[in-house]
Each structure stands twice: as C-alpha cells, then as structure tokens.
Amino acid sequence: MKKTIFYLAIASISFLACSKSDDSNPTSASAESNTVFYTDTFNIYSTDLKGGNRKLVTSEGPNTNNNYIYATAYVPTADRLVYIYTEKYDKPFFLKTCKLDGSDKKTIKTFPAFTRVGLVKATSDGQIFYTLPGNPFPNQTPSKTFSIKADGTGETEITQQVYNSISDPDLISADGKGILSTSGYFFKLVNGTFDEANSFNILLNEEKDQTKIKELMISADASKVAFMQKTAVAGQYEIRIKDLIKNAPVSKVIYTVNLPSDSFDFSLEMCFVNGSKNILIKYGKFTSPQGSSNDFTNCELIDAATGNVTQTWKFMGDDIGSVVTN
C-alpha cells in the first residue's frame, strides 16, 4: 500500500486544558486506556492494547496515491476522533470528526490548499486545538493556536504564546499543567497562564549531548517525563524516565530497545498510555513510496514502573503513524 508522505509522532490522548484549573477537568486525561487508534495513509484502524480485535474505523479511500490522513486525536467527553484529511497537498485540508466506530463523520473546518497545520489535539473537556505555525521571512506571519468544539462551533484563538512554538503534542501535558520544550525546559501552566517562577529545565543533569536524546515526552498529568537516549551501540536506545520536579535525580533506565537490522531508526517512537502506567513503543520497516508486503510495524507495551514488557504485537505491511488511545 502507499505510504503517507508524513511520518507523525505518536500522540497521547488529549491536549492542554488552557482555560481550566488543574483540578476542574470533567474527564481525566490520565484515565486507563483500552483501545489504540492508528493511521495508515488514508485509513484509521483500532485494536485493543494487545494488538488484537483489529477493526477499520474510517477510511478516506480509495487510494489516489496523493490522499492521506494525519494529526489524528481522541476527543474526550465527545468520545470522538478528530483528524485532518486532504486529497493532495495542493488541495484543501479538512478537519474532520467521527464517532469511535467511524459513524457520524463530519467536516468541522476547511483549510485552504498548502495550509500547514502544526498539530491537532483535544482537551479533557472536549475542546479541539490546532496550531498554524506561521511563515518565516521575508513575508513573516506569527504562529497561532486555536480551539474549536467537536461540533465545529466556538472557534477561539488562544493567545498564550508558549503553545505556538510546540509542534510535537507529546510535549504537552493533556491535563493542561505544562509544556516541555525540545531542550527540556518545563513551562508550568496555571489556568493556562505561564508560571515562570515555578518553571525549570528537567534535563540540566542529563546527557549534555542533546543529539543523543529523542522522543522527549510528558505524561498526561505532568508528573513524569520520559525520553530515549542513544547508546554507543548501533540501533540501541535506552528508555529513561524521571519525576517532573525541580532538581529531580538523574533519570532511570527502565528498558533498552535494540532495533532489528531491518528496522529504521526514524521509525522508533513512543508515548505514554494508561496515564503514566505504560509506555507504548513502536518501530518498523517502510518501503518508500509504494510500500511492500514485507513492511512491518512492531509494538511493545512497557510497564513504566518495572520496565517489563507486558505485550508485543506486529502488523505486516503497515506504516503506522499518529497513534492515539481513548
């Protein structure tokens, strides 16, 4: 099958609750997960947390060799999926939602052709957020963040600037308590406002060579930080985790990934699931541009406390991106 031209980071279940206090969210973003939704080009599938009971949720087919879905997210409270779809990069982009079984599909916003949407996520109260990264010189335009309800109403620009520079949703706590920069600086948020006095860099006592660190992410409740760190061994990465507190001890290695020789380093990604109880790791082999029946995505579910692998599963012929859980 055709592979998507974007390779997207695995995302957690929801986005920042910028207008809510830390304890007022009606749906906890750190609740247990039981379903994985993932995108393969123009299809969204679901499985359980064992990789079983696989179902096609929705499709934007047939295949035209240009159409694709990206930036999939789960919308709590509304109990829907939201995603962006386009027939081609130079055609309009559509922000769509559907129920978890694929029914009641709706287009809630249309973007002009060539629009770059940085990320799409949702708050624990059901608001959907998206970012427009803006343009560089000479025709500079600022980055902007917007929220919109799952029914397409109530679109509002979010003016807190710390959101605008973040392109990876795994750096944003789903409960709205803070945002990490790629260098490890934690922007603490209180009711959606940057609390500079209580913000800090969580990686100050970690590896000084930042090029060895990838997949930095924050748990939904902003209690944990995890990342991968490259070792001196080819294809080997340590999975490290630490408490998100100022002057925290050096991170703990909970698991070591040894990529098979037929897997690609760029395919190695991870996210928190079940709040901060588990880490879902994936990697694979993808043949560009048309794909091959020998392509695969391998998934491992890790206990974040013990480092034990609790489940593994593999999909053949799939290029999985934009993975989310309910």
Side-chain angles (χ1 to χ4, degrees), residues 8-13 35-39 72-73 121 170 269 271 273 280 282 297 299 320-325:
L8 300 172
I10 294 177
S12 59
I13 66 174
T35 306
V36 177
F37 299 93
Y38 65 90
T39 303
T72 310
K121 292 306 297 176
D170 288 339
E269 298 176 345
C271 69
V273 296
L280 179 63
K282 80 170 185 73
T297 295
C299 298
I320 297 176
S322 202
V323 177
V324 296
T325 58

Side-chain angles (χ1 to χ4, degrees), residues 179-187 194 196 199-203:
I179 296 174
L180 281 175
S181 71
T182 54
S183 63
Y185 187 82
F186 175 59
F187 296 88
F194 174 38
E196 185 175 6
S199 299
F200 53 89
N201 194 321
I202 193 66
L203 296 182

Side-chain angles (χ1 to χ4, degrees), residues 264-284:
F264 302 148
D265 278 55
F266 74 82
S267 71
L268 183 59
E269 298 176 345
M270 66 179 186
C271 69
F272 281 110
V273 296
N274 287 338
S276 58
K277 294 178 182 178
N278 296 97
I279 293 175
L280 179 63
I281 300 169
K282 80 170 185 73
Y283 54 84

